[in-house]
Amino acid sequence: MTDRTTMEEAVPTTADRSRWDEIQRLFELCRERHRDEWHGVLRDRCAGREGLAFEVLTLLVAAEGLPPLDADA
Amino acid sequence: MVDGLNDSNRHVASNADARHRVVEDLLARRSAGDADALAALWREIYDEVHRLAHVMLSREGARRPFDTTVLVHELFLKMGSSNFENRAHLFGSLVRMMGQIVIDAARRSAVERRANDRLGRGKGGGFSLDTPAIGLPPDDSGDMSARVIETLDRLDALAPRAAAVAWLRFIGGLTVEQVARCLDVSERTVKSDWAFARAWMHRELTAPEPRADDNPRERRHEP
């Protein structure tokens, strides 16, 4: 989750951007699947990077509580 | 009826084609250095631009930062030195410029709101955004809108395209199709970015404040 306490001075690096690109890719990959499959996808693709998997998982859970995308297209 | 078009529909389509050709010709004249082409181009597209500006501002209702005509005139000042390859590029750029003008106004409004709050001057102006789209209650007071804008700024630093989509959806009130045209990406990309931006914003705006001994930065970087 984003660091609010140091937000002002935290300038994203290229590594941060790459990481967020990967988070968004994984989010999209899982979003199109049933939640039973999320853990398998994240386990396979985030081995040794539990923080990344946690980030994606929290976003997927957040997305579940939102109105359908098509409702406001 | 021939090819599914009756005479009336054909007449409308042919008028639209003719207007498109006029705009393309004026853009070509402008690129070639014709000093009068900009004014003629502006007269030609004025009604359509006005309609777009009206759509963009209509969701703000009484809270809108300026009226449609002011937005259109701001836009004219902003487009003066820009060059456009063709009609699609022209309108894509105009919608983006309009969004930027409205976003800048929203940012100023958020800053004023925070200043007014600090000085105890009451709520003052503000922007009401479609907060239910990100799973939050309707923002009747405009209080949440300032936080949404701050959150969008943070998203912009991490995922700029997703943030741009969210800006145009939230502030501009554009449809998925309009955003796709504006950013020159597919509708699928817009939907994907919008889904990601909504989830991220919802999580950020509903997360509990970090504890003093909590250091999220450590969670952000794996070993």
Side-chain angles (χ1 to χ4, degrees), chain A residues 4 7 24 55 58 67, chain B residues 154 193 198 203-204 220:
Chain A
R4 288 187 180 80
M7 183 183 77
Q24 188 169 354
E55 194 86 52
T58 57
Chain B
R154 282 159 46 211
D193 282 345
R198 290 198 322 161
R203 190 188 69 178
E204 294 297 303
R220 295 176 65 192

Side-chain angles (χ1 to χ4, degrees), chain A residues 1-2 4 6-7 10 12 16-17 19-20 24 27-28 32 51-52 55 58-59 66-67 69 72-73, chain B residues 132 134-135 154 157-158 169 175-176 188 192-196 198-200 203-204 207 217 219-222:
Chain A
M1 217 167 279
T2 306
R4 288 187 180 80
T6 56
M7 183 183 77
D16 283 335
R17 284 273 175 82
R19 183 170 183 272
W20 278 96
Q24 188 169 354
F27 172 81
E28 186 61 19
E32 293 170 339
L52 193 73
E55 194 86 52
T58 57
L59 288 168
L66 299 177
L69 268 183
D72 58 349
Chain B
I134 51 170
R154 282 159 46 211
L158 300 169
R169 298 281 279 140
T175 63
V176 167
R188 182 182 166 83
S192 167
D193 282 345
W194 180 227
F196 179 74
R198 290 198 322 161
W200 193 86
R203 190 188 69 178
E204 294 297 303
R217 181 169 287 270
R219 294 201 305 269
R220 295 176 65 192
H221 303 283
E222 294 81 33

Side-chain angles (χ1 to χ4, degrees), chain B residues 21-45 75-87 89-91 93-94 97:
Chain B
R21 276 198 300 276
V22 169
V23 170
E24 296 280 2
D25 288 346
L26 287 168
L27 287 170
R29 277 174 50 194
R30 184 158 183 255
S31 292
D34 182 342
D36 297 329
L38 178 62
L41 175 66
W42 187 247
R43 277 196 300 275
E44 187 63 32
I45 64 174
L75 186 65
F76 178 69
L77 296 174
K78 213 173 170 74
M79 74 174 270
S81 57
S82 305
N83 269 316
F84 308 100
E85 293 165 18
N86 51 40
R87 189 181 183 284
H89 182 222
L90 168 70
F91 276 91
S93 301
L94 290 179
M97 285 179 199

